[in-house]
Amino acid sequence: MLNDLSAILADAEDQERGAWCDLLDPVTGRATGIRFRVAGPDSRTQAKARLALSDELAEAADADGRVSAEAREKARLNSLARCVLAWEIEEDGKPVPFSHANVVRVLRAATWVQAQVDAFAADRRAHRRTR
């Protein structure tokens, strides 16, 4: 229960450590074996990702302040990738090295991957530790 400042601060710190998101097959609902450790919505990591998203969009704006759909989508995926802290994923039977570029690559692979990671990143209940 978040009934005082120390509890709120502890919750934010828990969210900074992240929680595991197990990707589910979008048709069968079965676990795929791919996992992302995602920072919670109240974490410093997500706060920094939101600021970087704003900066990226500002840099992409033309003289009239417009940002192309392609630039917005690129910035959105970069922001979501910044919320991923670790992962367990293989390609051709070998672990895929964890890097921002590789996270973006996997997120681009299928919209269902993006949707699951994005929903998990926003879900405070998924990041709440029982005390």
Side-chain angles (χ1 to χ4, degrees):
M1 184 171 177
L2 301 177
N3 56 0
D4 66 25
L5 180 57
S6 62
I8 293 170
L9 294 172
D11 182 61
E13 192 58 37
D14 282 346
Q15 289 191 37
E16 184 63 28
R17 286 187 280 278
W20 285 105
C21 170
D22 294 300
L23 288 187
L24 304 177
D25 181 288
V27 176
T28 66
R30 291 189 201 113
T32 63
I34 298 171
R35 303 174 80 203
F36 289 81
R37 188 164 189 89
V38 181
D42 299 314
S43 65
R44 290 183 307 279
T45 296
Q46 281 213 32
K48 289 178 189 177
R50 286 188 297 274
L51 291 173
L53 171 63
S54 295
D55 288 343
E56 197 170 337
L57 291 171
E59 289 173 16
D62 66 14
D64 295 324
R66 290 184 300 243
V67 179
S68 71
E70 183 178 335
R72 281 193 309 272
E73 180 64 3
K74 180 181 177 188
R76 184 188 71 79
L77 285 178
N78 276 329
S79 181
L80 183 57
R82 288 183 189 103
C83 299
V84 177
L85 305 172
W87 66 5
E88 294 174 3
I89 185 171
E90 293 182 353
E91 183 175 30
D92 297 326
K94 296 178 183 169
V96 178
F98 180 77
S99 69
H100 179 79
N102 279 340
V103 174
V104 170
R105 179 176 160 240
V106 172
L107 292 173
R108 282 189 179 139
T111 55
W112 65 266
V113 174
Q114 295 171 30
Q116 288 184 37
V117 174
D118 194 29
F120 190 85
D123 187 354
R124 284 180 174 84
R125 290 175 297 165
H127 292 87
R128 177 68 54 90
R129 308 282 195 266
T130 56
R131 289 186 177 25

